[in-house]
mmCIF file of all heavy atoms in Angstrom:
data_model
loop_
_atom_site.group_PDB
_atom_site.id
_atom_site.type_symbol
_atom_site.label_atom_id
_atom_site.label_comp_id
_atom_site.label_asym_id
_atom_site.label_seq_id
_atom_site.Cartn_x
_atom_site.Cartn_y
_atom_site.Cartn_z
ATOM 1 N N ASN A 290 29.384 25.776 25.779
ATOM 2 C CA ASN A 290 28.116 25.043 25.568
ATOM 3 C C ASN A 290 28.198 23.570 25.344
ATOM 4 O O ASN A 290 29.218 23.145 24.820
ATOM 5 C CB ASN A 290 27.453 25.768 24.301
ATOM 6 C CG ASN A 290 26.861 27.203 24.643
ATOM 7 O OD1 ASN A 290 26.749 27.498 25.906
ATOM 8 N ND2 ASN A 290 26.835 28.052 23.697
ATOM 9 N N CYS A 291 27.180 22.913 25.694
ATOM 10 C CA CYS A 291 27.137 21.391 25.594
ATOM 11 C C CYS A 291 27.123 21.093 24.102
ATOM 12 O O CYS A 291 26.420 21.585 23.190
ATOM 13 C CB CYS A 291 26.015 20.757 26.283
ATOM 14 S SG CYS A 291 25.727 19.071 25.988
ATOM 15 N N PHE A 292 28.007 20.104 23.687
ATOM 16 C CA PHE A 292 28.108 19.813 22.330
ATOM 17 C C PHE A 292 26.727 19.113 21.738
ATOM 18 O O PHE A 292 26.435 19.252 20.676
ATOM 19 C CB PHE A 292 29.143 18.641 22.140
ATOM 20 C CG PHE A 292 29.339 18.187 20.787
ATOM 21 C CD1 PHE A 292 29.838 18.933 19.743
ATOM 22 C CD2 PHE A 292 29.056 16.762 20.548
ATOM 23 C CE1 PHE A 292 29.946 18.331 18.437
ATOM 24 C CE2 PHE A 292 29.105 16.221 19.273
ATOM 25 C CZ PHE A 292 29.654 17.052 18.217
ATOM 26 N N HIS A 293 26.038 18.472 22.641
ATOM 27 C CA HIS A 293 24.785 17.694 22.225
ATOM 28 C C HIS A 293 23.628 18.717 22.241
ATOM 29 O O HIS A 293 22.864 18.883 21.206
ATOM 30 C CB HIS A 293 24.597 16.539 23.066
ATOM 31 C CG HIS A 293 23.311 15.805 22.713
ATOM 32 N ND1 HIS A 293 23.147 15.030 21.500
ATOM 33 C CD2 HIS A 293 22.007 15.679 23.389
ATOM 34 C CE1 HIS A 293 22.004 14.543 21.481
ATOM 35 N NE2 HIS A 293 21.309 14.889 22.421
ATOM 36 N N CYS A 294 23.278 19.333 23.433
ATOM 37 C CA CYS A 294 22.062 20.044 23.474
ATOM 38 C C CYS A 294 22.249 21.581 23.453
ATOM 39 O O CYS A 294 21.341 22.344 23.285
ATOM 40 C CB CYS A 294 21.375 19.785 24.935
ATOM 41 S SG CYS A 294 22.182 20.388 26.291
ATOM 42 N N GLY A 295 23.488 22.146 23.497
ATOM 43 C CA GLY A 295 23.736 23.513 23.370
ATOM 44 C C GLY A 295 23.652 24.335 24.683
ATOM 45 O O GLY A 295 23.870 25.518 24.627
ATOM 46 N N LEU A 296 23.157 23.707 25.679
ATOM 47 C CA LEU A 296 22.970 24.450 26.965
ATOM 48 C C LEU A 296 24.428 24.694 27.695
ATOM 49 O O LEU A 296 25.433 23.946 27.263
ATOM 50 C CB LEU A 296 22.190 23.666 27.877
ATOM 51 C CG LEU A 296 20.735 23.552 27.459
ATOM 52 C CD1 LEU A 296 19.922 22.660 28.543
ATOM 53 C CD2 LEU A 296 19.973 24.850 27.340
ATOM 54 N N PRO A 297 24.521 25.775 28.445
ATOM 55 C CA PRO A 297 25.757 25.974 29.026
ATOM 56 C C PRO A 297 26.348 24.870 29.861
ATOM 57 O O PRO A 297 25.562 24.148 30.534
ATOM 58 C CB PRO A 297 25.598 27.181 29.922
ATOM 59 C CG PRO A 297 24.360 27.798 29.344
ATOM 60 C CD PRO A 297 23.554 26.715 28.827
ATOM 61 N N VAL A 298 27.608 24.512 29.771
ATOM 62 C CA VAL A 298 28.197 23.487 30.656
ATOM 63 C C VAL A 298 28.462 23.998 31.999
ATOM 64 O O VAL A 298 29.293 24.970 32.126
ATOM 65 C CB VAL A 298 29.480 22.933 30.022
ATOM 66 C CG1 VAL A 298 30.088 21.890 30.831
ATOM 67 C CG2 VAL A 298 29.184 22.400 28.698
ATOM 68 N N PRO A 299 27.862 23.446 33.091
ATOM 69 C CA PRO A 299 28.199 24.020 34.441
ATOM 70 C C PRO A 299 29.674 23.908 34.789
ATOM 71 O O PRO A 299 30.416 23.026 34.288
ATOM 72 C CB PRO A 299 27.419 23.008 35.250
ATOM 73 C CG PRO A 299 26.363 22.317 34.474
ATOM 74 C CD PRO A 299 27.061 22.294 33.060
ATOM 75 N N SER A 300 30.263 24.825 35.641
ATOM 76 C CA SER A 300 31.496 24.800 35.988
ATOM 77 C C SER A 300 31.858 23.563 36.746
ATOM 78 O O SER A 300 31.066 23.260 37.637
ATOM 79 C CB SER A 300 31.870 26.183 36.785
ATOM 80 O OG SER A 300 31.160 26.170 37.974
ATOM 81 N N GLY A 301 32.956 22.988 36.365
ATOM 82 C CA GLY A 301 33.511 21.743 37.167
ATOM 83 C C GLY A 301 32.868 20.476 36.552
ATOM 84 O O GLY A 301 33.443 19.375 36.902
#
Side-chain angles (χ1 to χ4, degrees):
N290 290 334
C291 175
F292 176 68
H293 179 71
C294 71
L296 294 175
V298 177
S300 61

